[in-house]
């Protein structure tokens, strides 16, 4: 077994280490979500945490880690006799992004349950993680139904596995830790709220600190055992402090003044629900115990707010997480209500110097805390041009970016037919979850039994199989897997006209508002998005296909306009991007959204070139929609003609709104569909 990197040897990242340690002291805090760029020791710190956790006493032979003094009465391996058990180190169990539902919660052998009447249960990762740590790397890429199962188990402390009326329950109490890179997409707000704490991590820009990181990593890679031995004393000291804080935790008093500060802070920052108040209270209590105190102080409430509130303030994926510390300090001061510290209370900083974990070690003392970078803010609003600049002709030079209009709720655009892509909320697809539409013979292990079809297949053979009692004799060949239909996420590729013909400031603002609205819709429907712009002489991939719609919003906000309209270049660039994406992920179907007024200028015969490029997409069956941005009393209908060549649908900006009276929501036509307008 490889030697893990010591927790105390992690350089900087004080907020990350503190959040993990607080959860080790009080698992009721609810876990931690770690957001940050790649290569910032997120996984290293999580894996190293297990060495600081006290050993776990378990019943010998129990696959679910029952405690010998209080075994779970419903344990599938039970009933257990109370008595002495054995001790083992706390586990860090990792959940792979591509894990199946059965791998997470466990598999129930339906075939044996039907044929033999026994519950044959194979435990999953939730059972392995009981009384330990469950670590989900790239939690934002985990399928939604797995995240729901995971967080439900974390909240209830148990896992239920049910297949066609046959059920198993077992304890699943674990410290939940998730890590993610925001560049690859965000978690839904309701899932963010289920993590107790969140921290933002980033690599230090201080050369001395970066040198120390490299020095320690090279020393570890050269001789992991020797490197860990040099940090053994620090590890032992921190482990003892965790044990002491756990023992002190029941004695910590959360006074009325601290409770008022917690409630006032949550109200001031307008967080939804009451979970934030509860998490802040538990975190502040754990901070006091960690500092060796029995009373919660204002400094504990402040630190708890910085860890528990930033991710709960987001209202849409384009909001950067964070907290206004000046507003926080004002709120705490206003609702301070006196000092809860008794005269005989120990040093407020407690052993080890306050809430931050110790950082001195044999490699030399580390520098102070590293500032963790927040997610990049949206670009500042560009200066507005003088009146009249927005009306330049198509051949004019580049103009400054216009601000996007307020986003709105859009009509749903979907890909026709039945797909088999990743679970989402846009187009119809065959999925593991959804309504049952039929049955088939299982390919491999049976996971979703179609009971009626199984009984129907077994019924004609009962006499030949010698059935004598009331039970049904079922064989392997009789079993039928249920086929289900749900929704999938698609690749929504935006091709945005940024030429001079679109450059009128009010018009471009409306266009950006429409694209921003479609990006919000893509976020809610769990799509991947990409952004291509065309202007001047060619087209540019402003954002390759990604799950991060907020990155697309940032690129859109700073989009300049001006120049000619190389429509064919934009469509050809989109064709290249989709070709590559089909090879990478053939199951994810694309939806092409072209935002333009339909004009094509520049080069020899630009209209004919645009027509040929559009027909390439039509020939490959790419579902498409053209958002017609043409305005004014005289309309040429060029965007509608383009939609016809693409074999798709044209909608105006007004018709794109969900509350528009333009008509019913209709599926986007594929290549086989005739061009039509939503009316």
């Amino acid at each position: 077994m490889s030697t893990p990197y010591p927790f105390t040897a992690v350089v900087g990242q004080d907020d990350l280490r503190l959040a993990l340690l607080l959860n080790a002291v009080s698992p009721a805090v609810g876990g931690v979500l770690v957001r940050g760029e790649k290569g910032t020791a997120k996984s290293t710190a999580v894996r190293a945490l297990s060495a600081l956790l006290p050993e776990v006493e378990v019943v010998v032979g129990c696959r679910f880690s029952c405690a010998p003094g209080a075994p779970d009465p419903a344990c599938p391996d039970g009933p257990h006799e109370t008595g002495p058990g054995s001790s083992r180190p706390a586990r860090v169990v990792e959940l792979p992004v591509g894990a199946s539902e059965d791998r997470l919660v466990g598999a129930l052998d339906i075939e044996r349950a039907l044929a033999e009447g026994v519950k044959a249960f194979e435990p999953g990762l939730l059972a392995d993680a009981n009384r330990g740590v469950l670590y989900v790397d790239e939690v934002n890429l985990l399928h939604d139904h797995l995240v729901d199962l995971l967080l439900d188990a974390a909240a209830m402390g148990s896992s239920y596995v049910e297949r066609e009326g046959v059920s198993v329950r077992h304890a699943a109490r674990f410290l939940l830790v998730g890590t993610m890179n925001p560049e690859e997409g965000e978690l839904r707000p309701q899932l963010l709220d289920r993590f107790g704490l969140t921290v933002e991590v980033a690599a230090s820009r201080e050369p001395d600190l970066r040198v120390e990181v490299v020095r320690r990593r090279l020393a570890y890679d050269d001789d992991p055992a020797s490197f860990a031995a040099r940090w053994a004393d620090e590890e032992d000291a921190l482990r003892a402090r965790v044990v002491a804080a756990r023992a002190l935790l029941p004695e910590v008093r959360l006074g009325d003044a601290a409770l008022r500060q917690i409630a006032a802070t949550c109200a001031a920052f307008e967080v939804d629900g009451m979970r934030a108040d509860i998490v802040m209270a538990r975190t502040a209590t754990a901070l006091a115990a960690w500092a060796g105190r029995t009373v919660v102080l204002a400094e504990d409430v402040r630190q708890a707010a910085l860890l528990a509130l930033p991710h709960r303030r987001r209202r849409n994926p384009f909001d950067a997480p964070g907290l206004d510390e000046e507003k926080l300090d004002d709120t705490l001061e206003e609702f301070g209500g006196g000092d809860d510290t008794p005269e005989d209370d120990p040093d407020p900083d407690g052993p080890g110097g306050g809430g931050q974990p110790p950082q001195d070690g044999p490699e030399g003392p580390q520098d102070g805390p590293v500032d963790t970078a927040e997610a990049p803010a949206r670009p500042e609003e560009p200066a507005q041009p003088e009146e009249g600049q927005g009306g330049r002709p198509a051949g004019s030079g580049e103009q400054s970016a216009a601000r996007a209009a307020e986003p709105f709720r859009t009509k749903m655009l979907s890909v026709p037919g039945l797909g088999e892509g990743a679970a989402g909320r846009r187009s119809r697809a065959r999925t593991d979850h959804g309504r049952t539409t039929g049955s088939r013979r299982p390919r491999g292990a049976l996971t979703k039994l179609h009971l009626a079809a199984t009984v129907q297949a077994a019924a004609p053979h009962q006499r030949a199989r010698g059935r004598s009692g009331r039970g049904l004799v079922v064989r392997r060949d009789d079993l039928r897997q249920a086929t289900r239909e749900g929704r999938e996420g698609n690749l929504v590729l935006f091709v945005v006209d940024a030429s001079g013909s679109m450059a009128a400031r009010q018009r471009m603002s409306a266009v950006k508002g429409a694209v921003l609205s479609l990006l919000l819709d893509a976020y809610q429907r769990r799509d991947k998005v990409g952004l291509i712009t065309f202007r001047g002489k060619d087209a540019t991939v402003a954002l390759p296909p990604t799950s991060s719609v907020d990155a697309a919003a940032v690129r859109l906000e700073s989009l300049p306009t001006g120049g000619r309209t190389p429509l064919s270049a934009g469509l050809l660039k989109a064709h290249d991007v989709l070709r590559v994406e089909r090879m990478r992920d053939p199951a994810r179907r694309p939806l092409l959204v072209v935002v333009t007024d339909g004009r094509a200028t520049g080069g020899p015969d630009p209209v004919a070139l645009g027509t040929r490029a559009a027909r390439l997409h039509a020939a490959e069956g790419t579902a498409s929609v053209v958002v017609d941005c043409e305005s004014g009393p005289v309309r040429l209908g060029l965007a509608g003609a383009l939609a016809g060549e693409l074999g798709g649908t044209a909608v105006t900006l007004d018709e794109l709104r969900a509350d528009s009276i333009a008509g019913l929501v209709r599926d986007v036509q594929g290549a086989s569909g005739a061009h039509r307008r939503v009316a």
Side-chain angles (χ1 to χ4, degrees):
M1 183 177 178
S2 61
T3 304
Y5 193 91
F7 188 88
T8 50
V10 174
V11 179
Q13 308 298 12
D14 293 338
D15 285 345
L16 167 59
R17 292 182 297 112
L18 178 61
L20 292 172
L21 289 169
L22 291 177
N23 276 276
V25 171
S26 175
V29 166
V32 58
L33 175 65
V34 187
R35 297 163 45 92
E37 58 196 34
K38 51 190 175 291
T40 49
K42 300 189 297 292
S43 301
T44 299
V46 174
R47 295 186 179 107
L49 179 66
S50 63
L52 304 178
L53 300 177
E55 288 194 336
V56 179
E57 292 287 329
V58 298
V59 173
V60 177
C62 178
R63 297 174 297 169
F64 303 88
S65 302
C66 283
D72 181 8
C75 177
D77 284 353
H80 300 301
E81 297 282 341
T82 57
S86 62
S87 61
R88 62 162 177 79
R91 295 172 179 161
V92 173
V93 177
E94 295 193 33
L95 172 61
V97 170
S100 65
E101 181 179 337
D102 285 346
R103 183 72 183 100
L104 176 62
V105 300
L108 194 59
D109 193 332
I110 298 298
E111 183 177 355
R112 291 191 62 191
L114 288 176
E116 304 174 27
V118 297
K119 292 183 181 180
F121 181 66
E122 184 66 29
L125 295 176
L126 291 180
D128 293 342
N130 188 32
R131 306 176 68 199
V133 178
L134 182 62
Y135 170 44
V136 189
D137 193 14
E138 304 295 351
V139 64
N140 52 325
L141 303 183
L142 203 63
H143 287 174
D144 285 354
H145 70 280
L146 292 182
V147 176
D148 291 338
L149 290 170
L150 178 67
L151 296 179
D152 283 345
M156 296 186 297
S158 60
S159 174
Y160 290 87
V161 184
E162 185 164 349
R163 299 286 187 271
E164 305 301 332
V166 182
S167 61
V168 171
R169 189 204 71 85
H170 65 82
R173 297 180 179 87
F174 49 83
L175 171 59
L176 177 63
V177 181
T179 57
M180 59 174 283
N181 184 345
E183 294 177 355
E184 297 184 351
E186 290 287 352
L187 280 172
R188 302 196 313 266
Q190 58 268 43
L191 298 183
L192 280 172
D193 186 57
R194 298 295 291 272
F195 284 94
L197 310 179
T198 185
V199 291
E200 295 277 338
V201 297
S204 172
R205 301 298 181 247
E206 291 293 331
D208 291 343
L209 219 56
R210 297 175 75 94
V211 166
E212 188 64 25
V213 171
V214 175
R215 181 183 291 121
R216 294 187 187 187
R217 186 69 210 191
L218 293 178
Y220 171 77
D221 290 341
D222 288 343
D223 190 347
S226 175
F227 181 82
R230 294 202 297 273
W231 288 87
D233 291 343
E234 284 70 20
E235 292 283 289
D236 290 342
L238 196 57
R239 187 181 303 109
R241 186 176 174 187
V242 170
V243 173
R246 278 191 172 187
L248 183 62
L249 188 65
E251 303 176 22
V252 176
R253 181 171 65 87
L254 184 65
D256 289 343
L259 277 173
R260 282 195 302 271
Q261 288 181 318
I262 289 171
T265 301
C266 292
F269 286 99
E270 300 179 349
V271 296
D272 296 331
M274 294 298 297
R275 184 175 284 123
D277 303 63
I278 296 170
V279 171
M280 272 191 65
R282 289 171 174 167
T283 305
T285 304
L287 280 163
W290 178 247
R293 288 185 268 100
T294 57
V295 171
V296 173
L297 304 180
E299 64 194 62
D300 300 321
V301 176
R302 185 182 193 278
Q303 184 66 57
L306 293 174
L307 293 173
L309 295 188
H311 61 303
R312 293 185 165 89
R313 294 189 61 248
R314 303 191 72 190
R315 291 296 182 265
N316 66 63
F318 309 142
D319 293 339
L323 216 60
D324 184 341
E325 295 194 31
E326 183 177 348
K327 180 179 179 180
L328 173 61
D329 291 335
D330 291 343
T331 303
L332 293 176
E333 183 177 353
E334 180 182 355
F335 292 90
D339 189 359
D340 282 326
T341 308
E343 294 181 0
D344 59 346
D345 197 61
D347 180 6
D349 286 340
Q356 299 295 346
Q359 273 294 296
D360 293 339
E363 299 275 349
Q366 297 185 13
D367 294 336
V370 182
D371 291 334
T372 54
E374 295 182 352
R378 295 181 65 180
E380 295 181 1
E381 181 181 342
Q384 296 290 338
E386 296 179 4
E387 191 72 25
Q389 285 185 342
R392 294 183 180 179
S396 62
E398 180 175 314
Q399 300 181 22
S400 60
R403 182 183 179 185
E406 194 68 24
F408 52 84
R409 190 167 63 91
T410 66
K411 291 182 177 179
M412 189 180 78
L413 305 173
S414 62
V415 179
L418 197 63
E420 295 182 346
R425 299 179 179 180
R426 184 172 296 278
S427 304
R428 294 173 55 226
R430 298 182 185 92
T431 60
D432 292 333
H433 298 267
R435 63 184 181 90
T436 300
T437 58
S439 65
R440 60 172 173 81
R441 291 182 181 272
R443 305 185 188 103
L446 179 70
T447 56
K448 304 290 183 182
L449 177 73
H450 195 297
L451 185 58
T454 300
V455 172
Q456 187 176 9
H461 309 290
Q462 297 306 295
R463 180 175 296 180
R465 293 173 183 174
R467 173 187 171 187
S468 57
R470 299 178 61 184
L472 193 67
V473 181
V474 179
R475 303 270 175 89
R476 170 70 184 176
D477 290 342
D478 302 327
L479 299 177
R480 295 295 183 268
Q481 176 87 17
T483 57
R484 301 188 175 188
E485 182 179 311
R487 293 278 173 176
E488 67 177 359
N490 299 110
L491 166 59
V492 182
L493 183 60
F494 294 93
V495 181
V496 180
D497 185 348
S499 65
S501 65
M502 302 281 289
R505 179 159 298 279
Q506 185 176 3
R507 182 179 179 190
M508 198 61 198
S509 176
V511 168
K512 285 187 175 183
V515 177
L516 197 63
S517 303
L518 289 167
L519 284 171
L520 275 170
D521 183 69
Y523 166 77
Q524 293 164 353
R525 301 191 187 281
R526 316 306 290 169
D527 295 317
K528 290 181 68 175
V529 297
L531 178 62
I532 294 173
T533 64
F534 59 94
R535 57 183 291 271
K537 295 182 179 180
D538 54 14
T540 303
V541 180
L543 184 72
T546 175
S547 296
S548 179
V549 296
D550 52 341
V554 171
R555 303 293 173 86
L556 178 71
E557 188 75 19
S558 58
L559 177 67
T561 58
R564 295 188 178 276
T565 312
L567 176 62
S568 60
L571 295 176
L572 290 174
K573 183 70 71 175
H575 184 268
D576 291 340
V577 169
L578 293 180
R579 177 178 54 82
V580 172
E581 288 302 310
R582 283 190 182 98
M583 291 187 289
R584 289 177 177 170
D585 188 359
R588 188 181 289 270
R589 297 186 295 165
L591 174 61
L592 182 67
V593 179
V594 185
V595 184
T596 181
D597 58 9
R599 289 182 172 86
T601 61
D605 206 355
V607 176
L609 288 174
T611 298
R612 288 201 292 270
R615 289 174 180 172
L616 280 176
H617 290 281
E620 294 186 352
T622 303
S624 60
V625 59
V626 177
V627 179
D628 185 355
C629 302
E630 192 174 24
S631 61
V634 179
R635 297 176 181 253
L636 303 178
L638 299 177
L642 174 62
E645 298 295 346
L646 287 167
T649 298
V651 295
T652 66
L653 291 175
D654 288 338
E655 292 169 342
L656 192 60
R657 293 179 177 270
D659 55 359
S660 169
I661 61 172
L664 300 174
V665 178
R666 299 179 183 175
D667 284 349
V668 178
Q669 289 285 3
S672 61
H675 161 247
R676 67 171 184 251
R677 295 189 66 86
V678 176

